[in-house]
Amino acid sequence: MSRTIKKISKKIGLHPGALVHVGDQKIDKPIIELVRYNENEFEEKRLQSMEEFISSRAENKITWLNIDGLHDVGVIETIGKQFNIHPLVLEDILNTEKRPLIEDYGDYIYMVAKMLSYDDEENIVKAEQVSVVLGNNYVVTFQESVGDVFNSVRERLRQGKGRIRKDGPDYLAYSLVDCIVDNYFIILEKFSESIEDIEEVLMNDFDQDIVEKIYRMKREMVLLRKSVWPLREVVIGLERFESTLINKSTIIYIRDLYDHTFQVIDTVETLSEMLSGILEIYLFSLSNKMNQVMKVLTIMASIFIPLTFIASIYGMNFEFMPELQSKYGYPIVLAFMISIVIFMIVLFKKKKWI
Amino acid sequence: MSRTIKKISKKIGLHPGALVHVGDQKIDKPIIELVRYNENEFEEKRLQSMEEFISSRAENKITWLNIDGLHDVGVIETIGKQFNIHPLVLEDILNTEKRPLIEDYGDYIYMVAKMLSYDDEENIVKAEQVSVVLGNNYVVTFQESVGDVFNSVRERLRQGKGRIRKDGPDYLAYSLVDCIVDNYFIILEKFSESIEDIEEVLMNDFDQDIVEKIYRMKREMVLLRKSVWPLREVVIGLERFESTLINKSTIIYIRDLYDHTFQVIDTVETLSEMLSGILEIYLFSLSNKMNQVMKVLTIMASIFIPLTFIASIYGMNFEFMPELQSKYGYPIVLAFMISIVIFMIVLFKKKKWI
Amino acid sequence: MSRTIKKISKKIGLHPGALVHVGDQKIDKPIIELVRYNENEFEEKRLQSMEEFISSRAENKITWLNIDGLHDVGVIETIGKQFNIHPLVLEDILNTEKRPLIEDYGDYIYMVAKMLSYDDEENIVKAEQVSVVLGNNYVVTFQESVGDVFNSVRERLRQGKGRIRKDGPDYLAYSLVDCIVDNYFIILEKFSESIEDIEEVLMNDFDQDIVEKIYRMKREMVLLRKSVWPLREVVIGLERFESTLINKSTIIYIRDLYDHTFQVIDTVETLSEMLSGILEIYLFSLSNKMNQVMKVLTIMASIFIPLTFIASIYGMNFEFMPELQSKYGYPIVLAFMISIVIFMIVLFKKKKWI
Amino acid sequence: MSRTIKKISKKIGLHPGALVHVGDQKIDKPIIELVRYNENEFEEKRLQSMEEFISSRAENKITWLNIDGLHDVGVIETIGKQFNIHPLVLEDILNTEKRPLIEDYGDYIYMVAKMLSYDDEENIVKAEQVSVVLGNNYVVTFQESVGDVFNSVRERLRQGKGRIRKDGPDYLAYSLVDCIVDNYFIILEKFSESIEDIEEVLMNDFDQDIVEKIYRMKREMVLLRKSVWPLREVVIGLERFESTLINKSTIIYIRDLYDHTFQVIDTVETLSEMLSGILEIYLFSLSNKMNQVMKVLTIMASIFIPLTFIASIYGMNFEFMPELQSKYGYPIVLAFMISIVIFMIVLFKKKKWI
Amino acid sequence: MSRTIKKISKKIGLHPGALVHVGDQKIDKPIIELVRYNENEFEEKRLQSMEEFISSRAENKITWLNIDGLHDVGVIETIGKQFNIHPLVLEDILNTEKRPLIEDYGDYIYMVAKMLSYDDEENIVKAEQVSVVLGNNYVVTFQESVGDVFNSVRERLRQGKGRIRKDGPDYLAYSLVDCIVDNYFIILEKFSESIEDIEEVLMNDFDQDIVEKIYRMKREMVLLRKSVWPLREVVIGLERFESTLINKSTIIYIRDLYDHTFQVIDTVETLSEMLSGILEIYLFSLSNKMNQVMKVLTIMASIFIPLTFIASIYGMNFEFMPELQSKYGYPIVLAFMISIVIFMIVLFKKKKWI
């Protein structure tokens, strides 16, 4: 967290639009990849510099320019001039701590998304910012470092499978963002597995299975909710769609269905609340049991420890202990002990511990 | 959870619209059921292949085609072509991890819902995805496996009871979704029973009935809230309906009623907050009691354990223990013990434990 | 809860509009009460059957028909035909597990509300569903059983007090719903009293009054919030009302007032958060104290229990215990004990318990 | 709470518009204060009865009529007739348990607010309902008892300071509500002080300052949030205002600023969540430490208490204890004790307590 | 908190628009800084009094007037008259406890923001109110004390870098607010570091790393959520933008992408809920373990402490203890002890502790 904020504070005090790269430098030299295609042709090469690009513009083709590495501000500026991108957008491209966003600048649309990868060694998620500029016949993408999740798009471009080569740059941009989103599932899978591992370890601590039972029910309830909630919108949709497919006379039945759906949702919510209530009760019952156990211990200890002390006094081997010679010493001590026991019991009764 | 995500990640990298079945294969061969009906006629048969269907189109009848089993991508594609369904919709039909949704494609409406069943053995809820395509004179339903909750609809179709044979395919689609929703209540009933069982077990742990009392009140409050909250909308409805049935002069009274209703809601909320507050206090009081018990134990132990130790020292049978022969040994030890007791009491007083 | 759901599942599989009573049968035979009135006349009788009603229609009067008992589906159907009520509405009337709702059917408005009563013996709230159908010159009410909260309305009708006989059926319907809402306060009063009883019991467990103090402040805060929040809407109203009563030059001051109000709300929220924070700290301090107490106990026990054991070894009366005869036995044992004490103290210091 | 509800239930069963005072009678006889003013003139007197008022109407002046005490329904009715106020409004004026509200009746605006005062003795907040009726040239205020927060308004009226005598009755009404709101701060100040007192007491319980540190940070975070959240609206305002003061070319920068602001808010939220997480961890660490302490105690006690018991058996002075005479008695007992220790240690190792 | 409220209550009772400074007096004499600039010229001076300013008005230049110190009401009033600012705005400028806000007065826009600074010594955040009045060719800023975050703006003005000298006063106002927002990151950085310090300390308390693991996952989840949630708006943007850059045929794919995004969000939420569930289970498992430990202790103590007491009785050295001479004394006592052990074990079995 503090690293993120530190990066941002790097920029404080500069005039807006000043180009400063706030991320870590992740590679030596920016890598510029150029892909040009239309339905029939496909061309792919790695450029040495932006000059090479400027001299090679081609008509009737869609251009995808991908830049890996943002620390070379000059390259970014050249691209900015080439595609007529506003300085503030360039600034945002360099500021790798942006939130995902979309902005329409008329001539082009600017999007920011986060490409995630899971670092198996450190068990953390790494986020890399991807900026996408979508123009009328080009897409420019900016990444912080080498390696991305776009290989399947590149492959589909090369092979011309599906609609991708037939459609415009908007379809390409869509495909790229789609890849980023799809990749999230891989990250989520890792998390999901870790959670299940921990769960299994924790569940071993319980002899009684009541916690496990409640917990499993809670989870089923989460899944239930995921089935039921969106259904409401389905039914609303049926009613609201001004489709000729839905007859007016059916609308009244659909409204009834909506009502049923709401009743299901209501019940799911009520049951969820009841489950939470039960967990609370379980916690109370744990505390209560502990109290019970502690009371037994305290009562036993409070009664017998003083008695043992008294007995141990008369177990001392001093030569001059007048009580020991007395004929009534033993019964008196016993009587005294019994009176202590009675006193203690009365006391605990009064405290309502017994 | 992780199973769900794994299924989704199966599809990553494919071009959109690529038909891949992401669920488990649940049956050997897809089963195709065809129902055709109008107000007077009814026909029902199981098809061997889609070809059989294509050759048998009938005018003036509503067609309900039900497919059980999604792994045979060819069948789905044929149906898609037959009914002119967009490839993305077909893709969604095969992706059995969709959320319930509804989409209007002009010529047809596409809906997804989850059909739930309760597995009594494993105590889990199983969800099966049902896709419904509603066209101008047909309904196509896709299910993952054999067995569904639509038998009551089939029966009503066969017998021609109610409006179902008189109305269009939209009424059929409504009836199917209605069946799915109704079936949720059976699942919820099972949950509800399990929750009540656990509750009963937990309640046995409390001698005092205060927790039980609070908990029952909380539950009554949940029910109360369910009665009161929607009432607000009823009263708003009365005021907002531009119905000729409501005179303008009555509106002012209805607004007053709205005010009363809001006061009831307000009070219910306040009482709920107070109940939560009481539970919190109860938790504090449990902790407090435990502290009390522990203090008693600690005080008793801290005073008498050292004393017993001292007494036990002079209970040792060493031959050479000069103190034992001393005439003042016994009184000195007693005095020492008393001074320890006084010291301890002063110490605990200072700690405010006594 | 499970009872409610069971009732609903009774209906599953029937075609929509099928009339089935899902509630318990609460009385033997439905009771039909007919009230007819206009400004000058008033008539009230108990009908034996719906036929009696059909034969007695009267012009220029408002009709209030009240049915107690819903299990006789025939009666409900007759009423439905008489007043031209949609089958789905009749179905909803019989389904006593509906949520409160309002629906406008053009010719009539259909409302559902819950009439609550408090069962003093079982300490639970009982809900009875009341359905109200409001037409252009009639009101029909359906209840599950005998006994309701409408007696004050009947009395006002008989005596012709207030507007009730002068106004239309909409005013009657309003009065009925108003009675239901008013009755909620009686239920809430019972709850409120129970909560205060429990609170008093719990508060006795605390010697220190800090919990009580915090809790009382929390409650005052709830009341404060109830005074302040709606005030915001008052001030917004002053600004938004396009009333000629408010001069434009005053609007700017009202906006300032709005600002003040918001500052008050802000402060109330902040103080509430601080109170919650304090309760959290109190919980921590309880845990902390417990830790302190336990440490003292553990330290005392860990030091003196082993020592006492050693002493008790040499208190055994075996004839052959060579150490006992040794001249240095006693001092060696003492030295050993002291070294144990030192060792323990060092250990606890290291654990930072002392 | 229950007192409030009881008052409301007083009214149940009466026809709407029936005038009944639901509050406590707080003073003997209602006090009627009349203030009349325009820019040049000012008149102030206490009326004996409403008749006196009726006979004294004056043109070209603004009238402020203030009534203290609501139990004399006749007075309220007379005022109602005089100013043509709807019976339902009069009913609301008498019902002192209303929520603050505002209603526009065309000829007049009706407002309800709560005037709070702090009872230093009982440490509770007392609420008094103030109803304000604002007409085209008059303001009528109704209070439950003598004593209010309007003295500063009266003073300003008398002295003719500021705009108050120059402006209309709407400004007067505004000034009155403003006084009520301002007065809330005095109540909040008392609360704030109490909270800080308790906090100080609680903080003394912690030797380590970690809780204090976290808590202080949480509070700073609350203040931070109060600075940052409304700023968002400021920036939105800058963008949305269709003011000629803002050039179009600047809008793009403002949108960037909005983005920054959102990033700040995001970070504040994340840090808040982290702080909550830390508190949770602290609670776990407390529980964990307690567990540690208890384990040490249990291990020490479980090992040494049985040993001491064995030793104390052979410390008994029975004449006939054959083991005592045996030459091997002592070593055998010692060996037995050691084996117990080993057994215990193995057991605890297996339980993973050591 | 209470300080803030006290300041506000200073003003209570004054007529609106009365100029009173409610903050602390932070400097001796207000400092008035004047900056005038256009694209070519730049002038900067410190004024002795407002008179100096009035006599020096200049055409064709943008004026930035900055006032440090608000206690001299006269100065504020003069400025108010000079720039024709509404008295209520002046009042708000002096009331340093305002929430950030923006108001459009037609001729000028009034903004309030909070400038924060971190006091390293006391570890608290200090807030200073900055009021900005933006007119058609001027900006006036009011601060409570000397020292601000605007030096970078001053520097850019002096050097004429970027757009600042070319653009109007709106750009200047934007730049000032931007500085304030940027400065928040510095404060947040300090917080972030403190939180991480505390975290590290707390994490040392756990031998098992399970808490740490869960906690780290929770944090990663927070970051994930920050990546995913705004993405949804990006995709919505793509669909909603009526940009010619997006073809209609692509829209359907984008809707599909939206669906995917929602599925990711759904999964993130579900995983978060599962993590919270796991923490709850962990808490239960801690309580459960504690219960286990306490039971062992209580059982050991309850069995052996009474036995030791009995043994110590017969270890007393009274001369007259008839049991000691009895031949069967020893075996009887042993038998008695064994019977106690059996009784205890049965008791604990019944309590289900063993």
Side-chain angles (χ1 to χ4, degrees), chain B residues 165-180:
Chain B
R165 287 249 297 266
K166 294 172 203 128
D167 258 340
D170 54 337
Y171 191 86
L172 176 61
Y174 145 74
S175 299
L176 295 172
V177 179
D178 198 35
C179 278
I180 292 172

Side-chain angles (χ1 to χ4, degrees), chain D residues 156 174 182 185 189 192 220 224 247 250 253 266 284 290-291 294 305 309 316-317 319-321 323, chain E residues 2 5-6 9 12 15-16 116 125 163 170 226 279 290 294 307 311 314-317 324-325 330:
Chain D
R156 270 152 56 201
Y174 146 73
D182 276 354
F185 286 107
E189 201 179 327
S192 178
E220 293 294 311
L224 249 175
N247 291 319
T250 309
Y253 290 91
D266 236 40
F284 285 141
M290 180 83 99
N291 264 358
M294 293 308 300
I305 289 181
F309 162 65
M316 294 194 292
N317 298 319
E319 275 181 14
F320 305 96
M321 289 179 71
E323 300 99 318
Chain E
S2 73
I5 306 173
K6 252 176 220 156
S9 39
I12 296 175
H15 69 91
L116 301 181
V125 174
R163 290 182 45 179
D170 54 336
K226 278 176 69 182
L279 269 177
M290 180 83 100
M294 293 309 300
L307 296 186
Y314 295 101
M316 294 195 291
N317 298 318
L324 297 181
Q325 276 78 37
Y330 181 49

Side-chain angles (χ1 to χ4, degrees), chain B residues 19 28 30 54 68 94 104 113 191 206 216 218 239 253 256 266 291-292 295 299 333:
Chain B
L19 294 188
D28 275 350
I54 296 166
D68 288 345
L94 291 171
D104 186 354
F191 268 101
F206 297 92
R216 288 211 193 291
K218 269 190 104 168
E239 193 192 332
Y253 289 91
D256 198 58
D266 236 42
N291 264 358
Q292 233 64 9
K295 272 182 198 165
I299 291 166
V333 164

